Amino acid sequence: MKHVLSPLDFSTDELDRLMDLACDIEKNPQKYAKKCEGKQLATLFYEPSTRTRLSFESAMLSLGGSVLGFSSADSSSAAKGESVSDTIRVISCYADICAIRHPKEGAPLVASLRSGIPVINAGDGGHQHPTQTMTDLLSIRSLKGSICHMTVGLCGDLKFGRTVHSLIHALVRYPDIHFVLISPKELQIPDYIREDVLKARGIPFEEVTDLEDAMPKLDILYMTRVQKERFFNEEEYIRMKDCYILDVEKMKLAKQDMLVLHPLPRVNEISVEVDEDPRAAYFKQARYGKYIRMALILTLLELA
Ligand code: NCD
């Protein structure tokens, strides 16, 4: 049984097959409309979510399956003190596959050790978010034509942003990717990513604080929200929250074919006028999130 805990659980060949399947699903949804009849997806969300939970649920429903679950820790037995291990043992009796989001790093891994069904990490604290990465890769491949030879700017909260951590892990496996890491000093990527992933693999990267300076060289700009819920003190969050705001003026500095991605939700970091720019791809990206999750469910249930 395969679980998805990290973006590295799939090889680049497996990811290619997954993305091919997602593209076929997008083109021929009818062909897949009954593939998961009789199957159930459980969504165990101990942290807030809109896109991830609903795109998983929409994915399963569009495959003819059904869904069950909870959308906050308060409405589950976690509020009574039940452990993730016990919850997953029980859910394994009710569902065929589950997606779990939890504020503690490693909780989906703990769940997978006790699970009788495939476990998908739908975000664990400030650690990883592999299905967002699959969404991001599919967005890049679909909108840019391939995932290679490009300069990728990652901007905002690189310290706590799990989507950034997963995306870096995944992208270093593709040829000729150069990173520009744009953040305030306080929100730089964690050491384990700088040392064990980027430096260890000899990946070209630079760490900068200025977004304007970086703009002209980027092929992709991946904006992120400052992760309020992971700050230890509110003052620090308030000081950081508007550190970068992508606006129409800054977009003038960018290449004509640069893509702007964002895992969403957006707070202030992209002004709404940018939405009209053809290079703004974050709502398309959210659409790809459903197709890749459909492909993932089919693959993990061995129905592909
Ligand atoms: C992200 C997350 O939960 O990490 N959202 C998402 O799943 N699309 C990004 C965020 O919350 O900032």
Side-chain angles (χ1 to χ4, degrees):
M1 187 174 41
K2 194 163 168 90
H3 304 291
V4 178
L5 304 171
S6 128
L8 302 180
D9 289 334
F10 278 64
S11 68
T12 50
D13 284 347
E14 287 171 321
L15 282 172
D16 267 337
R17 283 199 288 279
L18 198 70
M19 290 190 268
D20 291 343
L21 179 57
C23 292
D24 195 53
I25 293 170
E26 182 183 11
K27 281 194 215 101
N28 307 297
Q30 278 314 318
K31 196 168 128 192
Y32 297 91
K34 294 188 173 167
K35 286 266 187 192
C36 283
E37 252 175 13
K39 300 287 184 194
Q40 300 189 12
L41 163 79
T43 50
L44 316 182
F45 276 61
Y46 296 84
E47 257 197 353
S49 170
T50 300
R51 264 152 302 276
T52 305
R53 186 170 63 84
L54 296 183
S55 66
F56 263 117
E57 296 193 359
S58 171
M60 190 50 151
L61 295 172
S62 298
L63 291 166
S66 43
V67 297
L68 64 163
F70 52 82
S71 55
S72 75
D74 300 349
S75 63
S76 78
S77 282
K80 299 180 186 170
E82 186 172 53
S83 68
V84 167
S85 294
D86 283 0
T87 303
I88 196 68
R89 286 182 82 159
V90 174
I91 300 295
S92 298
C93 309
Y94 307 150
D96 302 284
I97 185 166
C98 87
I100 171 167
R101 168 171 288 189
H102 201 284
K104 286 214 177 100
E105 289 80 4
L109 169 65
V110 170
S112 71
L113 301 174
R114 288 293 175 155
S115 180
I117 57 176
V119 171
I120 303 169
N121 176 4
D124 61 329
H127 187 217
Q128 300 279 355
H129 192 345
T131 64
Q132 180 63 47
T133 295
M134 292 170 179
T135 303
D136 302 339
L137 295 176
L138 177 61
S139 306
I140 296 171
R141 199 184 81 160
S142 303
L143 300 171
K144 281 275 183 199
S146 70
I147 310 173
C148 54
H149 312 303
M150 53 180 87
T151 300
V152 180
L154 299 162
C155 178
D157 187 347
L158 309 188
K159 178 177 180 186
F160 296 118
R162 57 193 173 197
T163 61
V164 166
H165 305 161
S166 285
L167 186 57
I168 293 176
H169 270 97
L171 279 177
V172 295
R173 298 184 297 175
Y174 292 87
D176 194 22
I177 303 284
H178 179 128
F179 292 98
V180 184
L181 306 171
I182 309 152
S183 73
K185 287 261 179 292
E186 295 85 340
L187 298 178
Q188 283 182 337
I189 47 154
D191 283 347
Y192 76 91
I193 293 186
R194 184 183 305 102
E195 302 301 324
D196 305 345
V197 183
L198 295 170
K199 287 194 184 164
R201 297 183 67 123
I203 305 294
F205 73 98
E206 51 190 305
E207 295 188 87
V208 302
T209 53
D210 198 277
L211 175 58
E212 275 99 330
D213 283 355
M215 282 307 271
K217 55 185 153 193
L218 305 179
D219 298 300
I220 292 178
L221 173 58
Y222 193 93
M223 292 296 294
T224 62
R225 166 181 77 88
V226 175
Q227 306 279 299
K228 180 178 184 191
E229 63 277 35
R230 318 239 180 264
F231 275 72
F232 294 112
N233 98 46
E234 172 135 17
E235 268 168 43
E236 186 75 351
Y237 167 70
I238 291 170
R239 200 163 65 77
M240 292 289 140
K241 72 182 173 67
D242 292 325
C243 52
Y244 298 103
I245 299 180
L246 181 65
D247 56 18
V248 171
E249 284 307 306
K250 292 194 188 80
M251 286 300 287
K252 289 183 185 153
L253 305 170
K255 291 185 184 171
Q256 279 313 303
D257 62 347
M258 186 192 77
L259 272 189
V260 185
L261 297 176
H262 190 310
L264 303 177
R266 148 179 62 188
V267 186
N268 274 333
E269 59 281 356
I270 303 181
S271 65
V272 289
E273 301 88 74
V274 175
D275 299 358
E276 305 310 317
D277 190 305
R279 295 168 289 183
Y282 27 92
F283 291 111
K284 284 187 199 152
Q285 185 184 358
R287 253 175 79 79
Y288 288 122
K290 174 175 170 178
Y291 300 122
I292 202 75
R293 289 183 174 102
M294 289 174 80
L296 184 62
I297 292 169
L298 286 174
T299 303
L300 294 178
L301 291 177
E302 298 178 2
L303 297 170

